[in-house]
Every structure is written in structure tokens, then in C-alpha cells.
């Protein structure tokens, strides 16, 4: 079947998480993504891992996670021959994405103003921690720091705990989605008008935007959210909304009518709290009361009883359990591809289902410079010329 | 200036958070978003609030957060005259988005198969909790439940705490971004080929995708992440990565070289832990040791000392402090618009900066049915006909 972004050519200068996740989303739908890497060590995420674990003994799970459906071109970007290659690629590409600190690309001769001269139709996206200028422009923009600055850490966890960050990258991930949102919108505009443009994203603003709803409350009322003492899961929510311990694990009890919950738990006294105001003001007391009932039976017991009553509940799963979840299996939420050195790699499948242009994992995450020859040949370089670029240390 | 999505017409059947956030992103870039609401009470998010707070005394901050740059058409969708209006709108719209439970739109006569007959170029996106079918298709798909099922809650917080959800919607938000990613890709494809299509998104798969990196580790190694005892902020990270208490608040110390940290803290003994393996295995011990130094001085003191050394650190801010942040002010991260009943409303600005087609807040979040007349007139309805639709209770 066809691919939605077939024919879209992406010159990808990104590294680490956020930029590569963005260009992977484009690659998943058929864009031709050329990942430009430093000759030698490549994307520094290749050296990053967790739990001392390397897939197949050699490959970074972090790098693998965000670089499928791309080709790698590894260059010594400071050499003039490398510059010539980039300029040739810029002539025919639609999109450039980079996530260096402000000014780095211009210094290399690859800023928007440089590439626009070669190809005025280019759409050029720069992503940084805090924007291209301003008091924090020189600060490093790492995910945890942006969680901390944005207010997000003051919403999670319990009242007596320190501000609690989310245990995954989130600014990075939202940055990636905003890159995609910006690029595809600009691409549509270019189809209509022929005009390219420059886009700027910063992780900080992306994470503020994530909290549109919480800021709508606080900036207009002047009131801050206060985290609950108990396990109520959003600082603005009432009981029972939270995660509860059962006899054999945990379960989630989301928004639910108290009379139904009281009946299923066999605790009619819960109905005394069944007023919106009380369910907020006494949410900790109600939480502990529900907890005292829930812990008496297993998750499976409660799930059956509660789903029978159409209650909003779920199991709480870890990542191995999630892989075995019947809905995950039904959706083919996970899939496996072959990698030349790591062997079979298990990963999360493409999230959006297209009736006419399904995404597909057609390429494993590339080895450093795996596609040097192929890409240079497509640009019209002869075998001799490619050989001499190798001899000179350009590739 | 021009708008990137000018001329794109969106027929928006969404409600609550995720769908409305998606169509707001389209509206922010100039798409004409027609929000179809239930006559009378409208989008049920209009009745939702936090902290008993209503902007201007009447408007839901939750609804306001996700519905700017739209027009509202309020109809009794069960009446045949309303159906006729929807079919007329479908003739000329590019995109349809809905986030009802599976089957609801088809029952109303507004499924993909119905609208495709009227307009084969239509791009139709359905978003659900767990997909259109499968063992969980009938389960309600609320954000907290999806956090619980996806493994996410097992990554956040400390070892001895129950699984800890993020204190904001995240499945909903990522669902919104995936809707936008899918729709804009399909729109590009339609520009090239003339072909419309149907897209399906589910929140569950979106939140699994959010954890691509963590699943890359666990599904290939079989090893689960274990949360730290201390405040290390990612379960796969080493010290010092975390949030630390200072003499007057909290600060974030992200990835940093131990020798520099040791010198700034005046604790040369920290260097004894300066091996990658030790910084992971003894991360809790190192965390507490750093904490013992950090608490002795204020956040301002440490920020000055540490930024001088180019360390990766930041303040930890709440939402009121975030609004006053100098970088937020520089970026114009927040802005204010006028609302007819709520008065001035403070909100987060549009995150992506376009050089040629900047996004803009041109419309306040609409009142229920605010644009009934305007939209019907555009469809060619006469004043008489519009009056009689009102008399019959259609609008």
C-alpha cells in the first residue's frame, strides 16, 4: 500500500531523544529520513543505556527506540567536502530538523539562511530547550530541568513528598510531537503556496502547553493546586480517583458514582460522603476508607465485580504485564523487527492506524554511516569519488 | 499574515479533553473548526472544573483550555433536520474528528461509511480508549486507567510508594497529538493523490508509544525497571539525577559530572563514587549525601554557583512562579484573550513559532451554539428557515 508521506525528504541533524522521535514519526509514514551523524561515534544516544543493557550485547535500546525507518549518513561535518554533500542534499530535501543549541547550525554553515539560499522551498525546524534567545538561551535544556521549571513536578505524588517528576521523558516527547505538528502544517501550506519557512520549537513552551488546563485554573484564579495526602491521582480531583492496593497488587478506581462503589464494596457508609463538595474536601478520608475495603480482595475479584457494574476501573500493570495484556495482543501493540547486529528487536508499534496508507517498520535503526554509499550514489557521486571521500576521512 | 491551515475545514464532534485539544491545535493554525455540540448542555467538559473555580464565575477552565479558535454549532442530533445540516457540512469539510465510544457515530448516521458517500475526499479520525474492537473495546477509556494499564505508573515516584500516576492527563494529551499527526499526514497525502481515508487512534497505544525507550529495555532484556528509594527521577538513571531540597525550597540537579558537583558542594568525598556502575548501584546513598549538602544553602545560592560552572540545574517552580519566570516572559509563553462572559482569560500561548504563518488566538472558546446562525447562513439557509429550525428545537 502507499505511504502518507511518500516522497517527503527529511534532512535530519537531530540527536538524543526529542528530534529523533520526531523524524521517526515522519519515517514511519514513509518519509525518506536521512540521519546525518558525526563520523565515528554518531548520535550520542548510541552510547546511552539503562540497566547496563545493550540489545544483542551491542546496541543502545535508547537509540533503537527512536531511529527506525531512517538511513544514516556519517560525515566529518567540518570538512568542505562534507559541506558540499549537505548542500546537495538541501537542494532536494523538503524538511530540515535540528536540535543543537542556538547558533551551532549557523556556525557550521547549515543555518536556515544558508540552506534557504540553496532551496527557498525548504521547511526548517529548530528545536531547543528554551528558545533561540532570552535569559535561558544558554542554559542546557534537559527534560528533568524543564519538568522542574514548568510547574509539572508540583502536581504529582503526595502532599508530604518532594515535587515529583514523571519517570519518563515528557518535555522531549511533547517537543517531538510539536515538531511534527509544525512541520506537517508547514508542509501543507507549502503544497498550497510553494512557500517554505522556518519553525522554532522549545521544550519549555511545549511542557507549559501540556498544562493548559491546570494553568487555566491557576492563572485566572490565583489558586495553586495542592497535592492530596492520600493517593488521589490529580491534585484537583475528588475521591475516589486513584490507585488502590488490593490483596495481591494494585488497581485503579477512576471517576465513579459513590453509590455503586459503596454497594460493590459492601460499605453503605460511603454514601454519607456523596456530595461533590465533600468528595473533594474529605478526599483523603474517603480514599483511606475505600482502601480499607479494597485491600481485602484480589485485583481479579474486584475487576470482575466492578466491570459487571460498568465501573471505570482497571488493573495496574508493569511493562512485562503490559506486553501480555489481551488488548495489547489484539491491537498488535508490540512488534518485532530484525536488526543486523542486535538480531530480533521487540518494540512498540506505530500508534496511528490509516485505512489507505498504513505506517510500517521497513528499516531497522541504521548503523553509523550504513547508507553512506547509497545516499552519495543517489546524489550522483561516482564510485571513484566516493572512494576518495573515504580516503580523505570525509565519510 | 497568512495561516498554515487556512481553508482547512474541520467538522468536530469531539468532547472532553483529547479530541478538543487536537482540533484546537488545528484551529490555532487557521483551520475553520466547527464544534458540533449537543443542544442545551453542550460539550460535557463545560460542566467540569477544579478547585470549585469558574472563570468569570461561569465558565469552565477545563473547557476554556481546549476550545479556542473554534465556532460552535449546537444541534439536537437526533432530529432529521440536524442530520441534513451535518450532511451539508460534510460535503464541504476536509476533516471529521470524533471521540465517542465505538459505534456511536455510525448509529447517528455519521460514521465514516455514511460521510464518505457524501464526500469521498473526507479524512475521518476516530479516537477511543482502546481501539474500535478487541476485549477492552467496551471498557471506558479514561486517562488514569490508561496510565495504569500502560506500565507508566510503575516508573514514577519512590520504591516504597504505590504506583504513581502523573498528576495531569497524559494519555489524553498524547492522543490529541497523534490525532494531529495522523490528520496532517493524511491531508498531505490527499493533496498529492486526492484520496481521503479513515484514521483510528487509541489512547492506550499512544501511551505505550510514549514509553518506546522503556519498552525497548524491558521487552528485549526481560528486566523491569525498579524505582529508587531516594529521589532519583528516572528508574533507570544514576545519581545525581533528581530534585533536591534546599534551605528555602527545591532545585533540580540533572546529569552532571561528579567532580564538578563535588567541588561546588565542597564535598570531595563524592569523588569516591565517580564510576558509572557505582553511581547506579549506590544511587540512593549518593542522592542522600548530595542532599545533605544541598539543604544547607538556598536555591538562589546554588543556582548561581552551579550555573557559573555550566552545570545542568534548574529551579523547581509552581504554576504561579512559572508565570513570572523571566524566560516565560521573554517568550510570551502566556497570553490573555477576551471572553464575552468570563472577561479577560489568561492562557498558555501557541507552542510552535512559524516565520511565515504564525498561529494566533483569533476566537475565544465559543458559547454553546454561538455560531448557529452564522454557520447555517454560510450553508445557504435563509433567515426564515433558520427561524423555523429554532422553532422546531433543532438548534
Amino acid at each position: 500500500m502507499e505511504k502518507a508521506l511518500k516522497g517527503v525528504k527529511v534532512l535530519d541533524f537531530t540527536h538524543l531523544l526529542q528530534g529523533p522521535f520526531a523524524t521517526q514519526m515522519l519515517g514511519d509514514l514513509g518519509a525518506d529520513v536521512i540521519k546525518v551523524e558525526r563520523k565515528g561515534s554518531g548520535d550520542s544516544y548510541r552510547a546511552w543505556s539503562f540497566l547496563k543493557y545493550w540489545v544483542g550485547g551491542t546496541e543502545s535500546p535508547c537509540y533503537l527506540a527512536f531511529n527506525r525507518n531512517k538511513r544514516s549518513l556519517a560525515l566529518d561535518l567540518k570538512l568542505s567536502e562534507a559541506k558540499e554533500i549537505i548542500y546537495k542534499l538541501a537542494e532536494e530535501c523538503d524538511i530540515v530538523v535540528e536540535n543543537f543549541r542556538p547558533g551551532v547550525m549557523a556556525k557550521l554553515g547549515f543555518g536556515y539562511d544558508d540552506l534557504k539560499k540553496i532551496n527557498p522551498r525548504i521547511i526548517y525546524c529548530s528545536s531547543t530547550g528554551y528558545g533561540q534567545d532570552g535569559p535561558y538561551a544558554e542554559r542546557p535544556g534537559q527534560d528533568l530541568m524543564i519538568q522542574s521549571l514548568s510547574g509539572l513536578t508540583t502536581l504529582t505524588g503526595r502532599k508530604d513528598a518532594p515535587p515529583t517528576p514523571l519517570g519518563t521523558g515528557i518535555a522531549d516527547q511533547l517537543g517531538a510531537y510539536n515538531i511534527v505538528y509544525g512541520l506537517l502544517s508547514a508542509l501543507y501550506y507549502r503544497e498550497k503556496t510553494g512557500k517554505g519557512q522556518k519553525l522554532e520549537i522549545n521544550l519549555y513552551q511545549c511542557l507549559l502547553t501540556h498544562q493548559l488546563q491546570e494553568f487555566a485554573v491557576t492563572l485566572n484564579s490565583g489558586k495553586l493546586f495542592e497535592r492530596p495526602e492520600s493517593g488521589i491521582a490529580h491534585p484537583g480531583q475528588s475521591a475516589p480517583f486513584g490507585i488502590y492496593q488490593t490483596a495481591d497488587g494494585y488497581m485503579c478506581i477512576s471517576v465513579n458514582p459513590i453509590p455503586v462503589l459503596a454497594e460493590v464494596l459492601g460499605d453503605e457508609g460511603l454514601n454519607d460522603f456523596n456530595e461533590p463538595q465533600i468528595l473533594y474536601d474529605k478526599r483523603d478520608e474517603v480514599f483511606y476508607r475505600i482502601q480499607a475495603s479494597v485491600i481485602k480482595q484480589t485485583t481479579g475479584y474486584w475487576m470482575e465485580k466492578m466491570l459487571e457494574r460498568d465501573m471505570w476501573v482497571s488493573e495496574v500493570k508493569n511493562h512485562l504485564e503490559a506486553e501480555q495484556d489481551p488488548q495489547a495482543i489484539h491491537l498488535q501493540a508490540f512488534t518485532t523487527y530484525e536488526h543486523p547486529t542486535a538480531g530480533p528487536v521487540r518494540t512498540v508499534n506505530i500508534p496511528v492506524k490509516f485505512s489507505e496508507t498504513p505506517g510500517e517498520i521497513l528499516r531497522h535503526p541504521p548503523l553509523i554511516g550504513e547508507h553512506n554509499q547509497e545516499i552519495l550514489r543517489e546524489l550522483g557521486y561516482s564510485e571513484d569519488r566516493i572512494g576518495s571521500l573515504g580516503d580523505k576521512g570525509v565519510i
Side-chain angles (χ1 to χ4, degrees), chain A:
Chain A
M1 285 178 95
E2 293 230 328
K3 297 279 167 263
L5 300 181
K6 190 186 149 189
V8 175
K9 203 152 190 169
V10 181
L11 188 52
D12 177 7
F13 289 93
T14 67
H15 52 286
L16 296 170
L17 197 165
Q18 156 232 10
F21 182 33
T23 56
Q24 174 167 292
M25 285 191 250
L26 303 177
D28 280 354
L29 302 188
D32 179 14
V33 180
I34 297 179
K35 181 176 180 78
V36 179
E37 296 191 82
R38 226 177 343 185
K39 211 191 74 177
S41 55
D43 183 342
S44 51
Y45 225 34
R46 291 180 180 274
W48 192 285
S49 180
F50 290 121
L51 313 186
K52 306 169 256 173
Y53 174 67
W54 302 86
V55 186
T58 55
E59 302 299 318
S60 155
C62 304
Y63 169 78
L64 291 181
F66 302 112
N67 288 286
R68 67 192 182 203
N69 286 327
K70 302 179 187 177
R71 299 191 290 168
S72 169
L73 174 67
L75 296 173
D76 183 343
L77 285 175
K78 282 172 187 148
L79 297 181
S80 62
E81 289 91 342
K83 202 168 274 187
E84 186 193 309
I85 293 167
I86 297 296
Y87 289 159
K88 278 194 192 231
L89 285 168
E91 268 176 51
E92 48 182 61
C93 79
D94 301 286
I95 285 171
V96 176
V97 195
E98 63 93 5
N99 64 336
F100 290 105
R101 284 211 201 177
V104 171
M105 285 291 277
K107 216 174 276 171
L108 288 166
F110 308 140
Y112 177 56
D113 292 335
D114 303 305
L115 300 190
K116 184 174 64 169
K117 277 180 212 147
I118 298 168
N119 178 358
R121 284 169 53 89
I122 224 161
I123 298 165
Y124 187 109
C125 181
S126 291
S127 180
T128 52
Y130 308 100
Q132 297 289 321
D133 43 37
Y136 295 175
E138 297 299 314
R139 281 199 192 189
Q142 191 275 334
D143 192 278
L144 179 62
M145 294 153 67
I146 290 165
Q147 288 197 44
S148 302
L149 280 172
S150 73
L152 188 68
T153 64
T154 68
L155 298 176
T156 299
R158 301 189 183 206
K159 192 171 192 163
D160 56 357
T164 305
L166 179 67
T168 61
I170 176 169
D172 275 331
Q173 305 253 359
L174 295 173
Y177 280 109
N178 277 293
I179 290 171
V180 168
Y181 163 49
L183 285 175
L184 293 174
S185 299
L187 196 60
Y188 176 78
Y189 179 73
R190 199 190 69 174
E191 284 300 309
K192 289 292 192 193
T193 64
K195 292 183 202 160
Q197 61 180 311
K198 174 160 174 50
L199 311 182
E200 290 173 23
I201 313 272
N202 71 79
L203 301 187
Y204 179 53
Q205 181 82 42
C206 293
L207 204 49
L208 297 175
T209 296
H210 174 71
Q211 298 168 86
L212 265 165
Q213 177 169 259
E214 288 74 19
F215 276 115
V217 173
T218 294
L219 299 191
N220 292 295
S221 70
K223 289 189 221 168
L224 287 167
F225 285 93
E226 280 181 40
R227 296 179 299 168
E229 276 170 33
S230 65
I232 298 290
H234 182 289
Q237 275 282 11
S238 306
F241 196 77
I243 287 180
Y244 293 83
Q245 193 169 5
T246 65
D248 64 347
Y250 289 95
M251 73 177 296
C252 156
I253 302 179
S254 174
V255 179
N256 282 288
I258 292 294
V260 178
L261 182 60
E263 194 187 324
V264 173
L265 295 178
D267 176 6
E268 294 298 328
L270 263 184
N271 287 312
D272 298 345
F273 299 90
N274 192 23
E275 286 292 330
Q277 195 54 54
I278 296 172
L279 288 172
Y280 179 77
D281 291 341
K282 301 199 169 178
R283 57 184 177 173
D284 294 319
E285 185 181 340
V286 177
F287 182 94
Y288 294 126
R289 184 168 177 141
I290 295 168
Q291 178 60 83
S293 298
V294 170
I295 196 138
K296 292 178 190 160
Q297 299 287 349
T298 63
T299 300
Y301 175 90
W302 291 123
M303 284 300 295
E304 198 186 325
K305 285 233 173 201
M306 291 181 179
L307 284 179
E308 263 172 25
R309 302 296 306 269
D310 277 328
M311 286 178 62
W312 289 24
V313 293
S314 70
E315 300 88 352
V316 175
K317 302 204 172 187
N318 68 31
H319 292 87
L320 290 172
E321 292 161 347
E323 191 191 16
Q324 301 305 322
D325 184 284
Q327 186 70 16
I329 291 168
H330 174 84
L331 292 170
Q332 299 182 283
F334 302 100
T335 186
T336 303
Y337 61 81
E338 281 296 320
H339 184 279
T341 62
V345 178
R346 192 100 176 112
T347 190
V348 186
N349 223 331
I350 296 166
V352 183
K353 203 166 148 190
F354 291 76
S355 67
E356 304 304 312
T357 60
E360 205 175 339
I361 302 178
L362 291 171
R363 294 180 181 280
H364 61 265
L367 304 172
I368 302 171
E370 184 176 342
H371 305 91
N372 280 359
Q373 272 76 11
E374 181 180 311
I375 292 165
L376 291 172
R377 262 183 238 122
E378 287 170 11
L379 282 179
Y381 281 78
S382 68
E383 299 303 316
D384 277 2
R385 187 75 203 288
I386 294 172
S388 92
L389 288 171
D391 296 341
K392 284 184 190 163
V394 179
I395 55 175

